Amino acid sequence: MYTGERSDAPEQPSHVAIIMDGNGRWAESRGLPRLQGHKRGADRVREIVEACPDLAITHLTLFAFSTENWKRPPTEVIGLMRLFRRYIKKEGARLVAEGVRVRFIGGREALDADLRALMAGLEMQTAGNDQLHLTVAINYGGRDEILRATRRVAEAVRAGKLLATEISPEVIERHLDTAGLPDPDLILRTSGEFRVSGFLPWQSAYSEFAFVDTRWPDFTAEIFAAQVRGFARRERRFGAVAG
Ligand code: FPP
């Protein structure tokens, strides 16, 4: 959430966002089909979600499928969509019981109607939870999100609900998919690539970044905890000078 005011104290990250990379390479290096890597990756999602309360993480955001991922072979795209369906059906009850509030970000219109219904159902079932805010990005791209937000703001101006001079960071923020969520403190990418691939460009303006070599299917709760502790040792200044 854009606040304009920032603390400069090193702190525990309460919102961690993860680019879960390396499933394909994990599988290929073992002579397995790429989908096996995604399946193993889905198991890691459960492990990392369960690790959050002990690490005092209140918000976890996961990049599961980007607007560019449609360019992958159809079998992989279909397999990933099947995995999302299965995850919601299999893990849904557990997430409800564990007090996890689930939200999905990204453009939904491109997804199959049955998957959209499963997503909306889980969001509804978990709407009252607040132990952990789990946000899953599916068909998400940061530029696409900003574009859709801009269209909504422009529409509000056209409808006379807003003056162009009233457009502020807070107004833009309210029109993003992540409206109401805090900005990520730490963005983590697995599998040794130093890129953000369009993940949360607006929201990451003051985030710290961590890039780890481990491929997502090998990313354990222990590695996660070590990264979180590493973050707590950093000093965040948000553009100010050290005190
Ligand atoms: C990137 O690895 C990973 C993805 C595109 C998919 C992430 C999806 C999951 C972990 C599955 C389950 C997710 C949820 C939320 C249930 P890659 O295939 O790009 O790896 P590569 O760079 O080695 O090819």
Side-chain angles (χ1 to χ4, degrees):
M1 198 178 332
Y2 179 84
T3 60
E5 298 246 334
R6 301 289 179 163
S7 149
D8 62 0
E11 55 193 32
Q12 182 78 13
S14 52
H15 184 178
V16 179
I18 306 182
I19 302 170
M20 307 180 287
D21 195 16
N23 293 348
R25 274 165 287 169
W26 181 92
E28 281 162 9
S29 69
R30 287 164 175 76
L32 297 169
R34 290 174 59 83
L35 271 172
Q36 283 301 321
H38 297 313
K39 276 189 194 144
R40 180 64 78 97
D43 297 339
R44 289 307 182 196
V45 169
R46 180 208 278 193
E47 181 177 335
I48 297 307
V49 165
E50 288 184 348
C52 285
D54 282 348
L55 296 168
I57 291 167
T58 56
H59 291 76
L60 178 70
T61 299
L62 301 174
F63 202 0
F65 193 91
S66 78
T67 45
E68 280 70 46
N69 286 155
W70 296 108
K71 294 179 202 146
R72 295 189 174 204
T75 48
E76 186 170 344
V77 171
I78 291 166
L80 276 166
M81 296 298 155
R82 193 173 294 148
L83 209 52
F84 299 145
R85 286 183 181 89
R86 197 180 304 161
Y87 184 84
I88 295 173
K89 287 182 191 162
K90 218 174 110 208
E91 297 292 319
R94 179 196 294 264
L95 293 167
V96 173
E98 287 177 353
V100 179
R101 174 158 186 192
V102 183
R103 290 183 184 84
F104 294 94
I105 57 171
R108 293 197 194 191
E109 62 299 324
L111 305 175
D112 286 348
D114 69 310
L115 176 57
R116 289 203 309 260
L118 283 171
M119 289 158 62
L122 188 57
E123 284 179 328
M124 224 152 58
Q125 277 180 288
T126 62
N129 290 349
D130 65 357
Q131 290 303 300
L132 173 70
H133 293 258
L134 172 64
T135 303
V136 183
I138 298 182
N139 189 29
Y140 177 87
R143 287 185 177 175
D144 180 63
E145 180 191 33
I146 291 172
L147 191 72
R148 288 185 285 105
T150 305
R151 287 191 182 132
R152 289 198 284 266
V153 172
E155 184 50 40
V157 172
R158 194 201 60 79
K161 294 181 188 149
L162 190 71
L163 293 172
T165 49
E166 288 171 338
I167 301 172
S168 62
E170 290 82 0
V171 166
I172 296 188
E173 144 92 36
R174 278 206 303 275
H175 290 81
L176 293 171
D177 295 351
T178 53
L181 293 169
D183 288 340
D185 301 301
L186 176 64
I187 299 197
L188 218 152
R189 182 177 189 138
T190 59
S191 200
E193 308 285 348
F194 298 94
R195 288 193 296 274
V196 289
S197 303
F199 193 37
L200 306 173
W202 174 278
Q203 301 86 341
S204 64
Y206 294 95
S207 303
E208 298 277 326
F209 287 83
F211 298 93
V212 296
D213 283 337
T214 315
R215 291 169 180 163
W216 177 253
D218 288 330
F219 189 77
T220 59
E222 288 72 33
I223 301 173
F224 186 45
Q227 290 300 319
V228 169
R229 282 195 292 271
F231 169 94
R233 284 194 294 273
R234 301 185 195 181
E235 186 185 4
R236 301 176 80 198
R237 292 200 292 276
F238 300 104
V241 289

